[in-house]
């Protein structure tokens, strides 16, 4: 008797979804053409494949950015799976139902032929950054030596995090980029400073809570959950991937909100500037970070201007 293996989603937005694994295989990704279509920022357009190979079921990384994990271990290209194994793809968890499936050598897919070529680095974003930084962005200080903030209708594009941070306030990173160092200072805290996992908490619980916070847009809460999970189990590779991703997203959000606050301030929209800078303080709670100190100074000036305005 033969029974077709079935992939079952046991956690995530697609929970309860079932799909048979046929000789054609199942594609998982954000692309609408995938048999299992997942709309999630953690999932690549073509993320993974579940395929049959000489009677066995295999999971394959199709060149994803964030990886495919089987039992919390990252998959290098291909890995055979069976009942009881847990496959993590983004916030989703899948298991395999396979009853009395015969070892049928007639079902055979050449794994190597399905592997998509790895995408090379795109160089144009780095060239653009180099041109911007090297082109002489005007250094603008809201406070200046006299303690006054920028007024009038100056070009908002001149007001940015790069210009606001003074050289003496920022340690130079090994690559010579002080902005990168400033934005990632909090992300480089030693693991000893990470929150401790609650007593009795399991790795699965912490990771799933991290997924839930991330889906709800609570980046800091999600980061804390993954840090606790990795502190509980240093072999949790999916935790390392998510922490790295969140570090970058939080740093980018800090920059965007800081720059937005400067643009609002320059346009005399003080309440909006205050909201943007308060978001920066929430995303970067380290009071010793240069960006936190600079934001506090600017926030005080914005509140003073708002009170006078109204």
């Amino acid at each position: 008797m033969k029974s077709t293996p079935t992939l079952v989603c046991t956690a995530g937005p697609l929970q309860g979804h079932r799909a048979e694994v046929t000789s054609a295989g199942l594609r998982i990704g954000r692309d609408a053409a995938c048999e299992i279509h997942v709309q999630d920022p953690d999932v690549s357009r073509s993320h993974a494949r579940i395929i049959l190979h000489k009677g066995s079921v295999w999971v394959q990384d199709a060149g994803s950015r964030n990886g495919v994990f089987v039992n919390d271990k990252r998959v290098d290209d291909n890995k055979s799976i069976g009942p009881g194994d847990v496959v993590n793809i983004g916030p989703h968890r899948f298991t395999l139902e396979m009853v009395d499936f015969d070892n049928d050598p007639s079902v055979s897919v050449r794994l190597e032929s399905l592997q998509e070529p790895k995408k090379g680095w795109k160089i144009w974003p780095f060239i653009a950054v180099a041109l911007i930084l090297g082109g002489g962005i005007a250094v603008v200080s809201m406070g200046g030596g006299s303690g006054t903030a920028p007024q009038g209708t100056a070009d908002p594009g001149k007001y940015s995090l790069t210009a606001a941070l003074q050289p003496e306030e920022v340690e130079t990173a090994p690559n010579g980029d002080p902005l990168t160092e400033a934005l990632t200072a909090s992300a480089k805290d030693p693991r000893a400073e990470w929150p401790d996992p609650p007593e009795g908490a399991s790795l699965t619980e912490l990771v799933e809570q991290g997924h839930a916070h991330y889906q709800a847009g609570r980046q800091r809460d999600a980061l804390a959950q993954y840090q606790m999970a990795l502190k509980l189990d240093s072999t949790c590779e999916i935790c390392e991937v998510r922490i790295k991703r969140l570090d970058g997203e939080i740093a980018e959000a800090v920059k965007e909100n800081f720059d937005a606050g400067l643009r609002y301030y320059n346009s005399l929209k003080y309440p909006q500037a205050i909201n943007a800078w308060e978001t920066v303080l929430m995303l970067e709670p380290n009071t010793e970070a240069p960006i936190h100190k600079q934001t506090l100074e600017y926030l005080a000036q914005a509140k003073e201007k708002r009170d006078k305005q109204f």
Side-chain angles (χ1 to χ4, degrees):
M1 174 183 177
K2 294 181 181 179
S3 176
T4 304
T6 302
L7 192 69
V8 182
C9 184
T10 59
L14 293 179
Q15 183 172 0
H17 181 79
R18 302 168 64 88
E20 291 186 348
V21 184
T22 66
S23 59
L26 293 173
R27 294 170 297 172
I28 303 175
R30 292 202 330 270
D31 195 309
C34 292
E35 285 75 23
I36 300 180
H37 182 211
V38 180
Q39 284 288 9
D40 187 271
D42 274 350
V43 178
S44 300
R45 290 180 62 83
S46 180
H47 197 107
R49 289 186 179 90
I50 307 296
I51 60 179
L52 293 177
H53 182 67
K54 294 185 178 180
S56 297
V57 179
W58 292 72
V59 61
Q60 178 187 50
D61 190 324
S64 68
R65 181 178 65 252
N66 291 325
V68 179
F69 296 81
V70 174
N71 301 328
D72 292 327
K73 301 294 183 182
R74 188 162 187 162
V75 173
D76 292 328
D77 293 332
N78 313 293
K79 180 175 177 58
S80 62
I81 59 173
D85 288 328
V86 177
V87 180
N88 283 96
I89 297 175
H92 295 83
R93 186 171 65 187
F94 298 90
T95 59
L96 188 69
E97 289 184 359
M98 186 167 60
V99 181
D100 297 327
F101 185 72
D102 292 345
N103 184 13
D104 183 1
S106 66
V107 180
S108 178
V109 178
R110 187 170 181 268
L111 298 180
E112 292 80 8
S113 65
L114 294 178
Q115 183 68 29
E116 294 182 350
K118 299 291 184 180
K119 297 179 176 61
W121 287 94
K122 293 182 179 180
I123 196 171
W124 67 263
F126 300 98
I127 295 176
V129 172
L131 290 174
I132 292 172
L133 296 179
I137 298 177
V139 178
V140 178
S141 173
M142 290 183 66
S146 61
T148 59
Q151 301 286 339
T153 58
D155 180 7
K158 293 182 180 179
Y159 298 97
S160 68
L161 182 55
T162 308
L165 290 173
Q166 301 301 315
E168 63 272 14
E169 295 178 303
V170 184
E171 293 183 15
T172 302
N175 62 2
D177 182 359
L179 177 57
T180 300
E181 177 69 15
L183 290 175
T184 59
S186 63
K188 294 181 179 178
D189 290 340
R191 293 189 182 187
E193 297 182 11
W194 288 359
D196 292 322
E199 186 176 353
S202 70
L203 177 64
T204 300
E205 290 173 344
L206 293 172
V207 171
E208 289 185 350
Q209 288 169 9
H211 292 343
H213 284 311
Y214 185 82
Q215 289 295 316
R218 298 187 291 268
Q219 294 170 307
R220 271 290 170 189
D221 291 336
L223 180 62
Q225 289 298 133
Y226 293 129
Q227 288 174 338
M228 288 190 291
L230 190 58
K231 204 168 184 180
L232 180 67
D233 184 350
S234 61
T235 66
C236 179
E237 296 183 29
I238 194 171
C239 300
E240 293 181 341
V241 171
R242 294 298 172 80
I243 289 171
K244 183 177 180 180
R245 179 185 179 90
L246 280 164
D247 283 342
E249 289 186 0
I250 291 173
E252 184 62 26
V254 167
K255 182 181 185 304
E256 289 177 357
N257 281 279
F258 189 93
D259 290 351
L262 289 167
R263 290 194 298 272
Y264 283 131
Y265 189 100
N266 188 50
S267 301
L268 308 183
K269 298 178 180 179
Y270 303 122
Q272 293 92 328
I274 291 170
N275 288 337
W277 285 331
E278 286 180 341
T279 300
V280 171
L281 297 180
M282 178 189 68
L283 291 169
E284 177 46 275
N286 180 8
T287 57
E288 297 302 315
I291 185 60
H292 189 103
K293 294 178 179 179
Q294 187 75 78
T295 301
L296 279 177
E297 178 185 338
Y298 286 4
L299 187 60
Q301 294 183 44
K303 289 180 177 180
E304 181 181 353
K305 293 291 185 181
R306 178 200 60 187
D307 294 342
K308 291 181 178 179
Q309 189 179 57
F310 295 101

